[in-house]
Amino acid sequence: MIDIEEMLKSEDDEVLKELKAFLFKENIRLENEKREIAESMDKLLRDQRRFRTEMDMLNHRIVLEKKRLKDDNLFFEKKMEILQEGFRQLDADRKKFEKDRARFSMEKEFWGGEKGVSAGMEDVCAILFRGVSNPLTLRKRYKDLLKIFHPDNLCGDAELVQMINREYEKRKKAE
């Protein structure tokens, strides 16, 4: 590097011009470096703000997704409870139905013959329609019974469906 103190002492115009040119170039180089550093800092700050904005958006999205997941879990648990209660009720109804079926088969054996079976089945139909007080509940009970005892169902019974139809028509005319 150039020894600046010696150049100043020599007071030579040529040396002073060289020194001025050197200082001018150095000053320009430093200004360019300052500008580049300032641009880098601005870019860094912009990137930092953008990153913070993206992080805030992602955090907000995560919070919303966690809330939605929690709501979905609660909804699923409620649905599961309803289904389990429905299955318990169906099981209780099935057991009651099996008990009634066993009782009816014993009555069938007791009464014997076709006439006794019909009388027993008529009693069954009367029991199935018990508590029906108006046409709307009569119609609903009729539809529910057909869904249960339709011959296409697993536990369906064509004879019982015919009896249910007769009882429905009889009650419909009575009202």
Side-chain angles (χ1 to χ4, degrees):
M1 217 157 161
I2 305 171
D3 190 10
I4 296 174
E5 287 182 21
E6 283 183 27
M7 291 177 133
L8 286 175
K9 288 180 186 177
S10 69
E11 296 184 14
D12 188 12
D13 280 340
E14 194 63 35
V15 173
L16 287 176
K17 281 184 183 178
E18 278 181 39
L19 185 61
K20 281 183 181 179
F22 170 75
L23 290 174
F24 181 74
K25 287 178 187 177
E26 192 64 25
N27 192 22
I28 296 230
R29 185 184 65 80
L30 290 174
E31 287 296 321
N32 284 339
E33 283 186 16
K34 280 183 189 177
R35 186 176 38 81
E36 287 175 5
I37 290 173
E39 287 174 0
S40 295
M41 287 296 289
D42 287 344
K43 183 181 177 196
L44 180 65
L45 290 174
R46 280 193 309 269
D47 289 345
Q48 188 178 24
R49 273 184 258 147
R50 185 175 41 102
F51 177 73
R52 281 186 184 154
T53 305
E54 288 176 6
M55 286 300 293
D56 289 344
M57 288 174 41
L58 288 174
N59 285 335
H60 181 69
R61 188 179 299 159
I62 287 172
V63 167
L64 290 177
E65 286 298 317
K66 282 183 181 179
K67 184 180 182 295
R68 186 189 62 78
L69 184 60
K70 181 181 174 186
D71 291 345
D72 286 350
N73 283 338
L74 287 174
F75 183 65
F76 176 76
E77 288 173 6
K78 286 180 183 178
K79 284 171 81 175
M80 186 59 92
E81 287 176 19
I82 291 169
L83 284 173
Q84 288 173 344
E85 180 59 33
F87 282 128
R88 280 191 288 273
Q89 184 65 35
L90 280 174
D91 191 43
D93 290 347
R94 183 187 54 79
K95 288 177 182 177
K96 183 180 179 221
F97 177 74
E98 291 297 325
K99 206 185 273 187
D100 288 344
R101 180 177 264 180
R103 185 174 55 91
F104 291 138
S105 71
M106 285 178 26
E107 286 179 8
K108 180 179 173 182
E109 289 175 16
F110 175 75
W111 290 102
E114 193 61 36
K115 185 177 179 183
V117 171
S118 291
M121 290 301 262
E122 290 296 329
D123 290 340
V124 170
C125 286
I127 290 172
L128 292 175
F129 281 99
R130 187 182 334 158
V132 174
S133 59
N134 63 36
L136 186 61
T137 55
L138 176 68
R139 185 170 178 225
K140 181 168 179 9
R141 179 74 55 88
Y142 172 71
K143 286 184 177 185
D144 290 342
L145 290 172
L146 285 182
K147 286 178 188 174
I148 294 169
F149 296 111
H150 193 274
D152 290 344
N153 289 343
L154 185 61
C155 297
D157 187 1
E159 184 180 337
L160 184 58
V161 169
Q162 290 174 355
M163 298 260 188
I164 290 171
N165 284 334
R166 277 186 251 144
E167 184 71 23
Y168 173 69
E169 290 298 324
K170 183 171 81 174
R171 288 180 180 249
K172 191 168 127 182
K173 287 178 185 176
E175 298 217 10

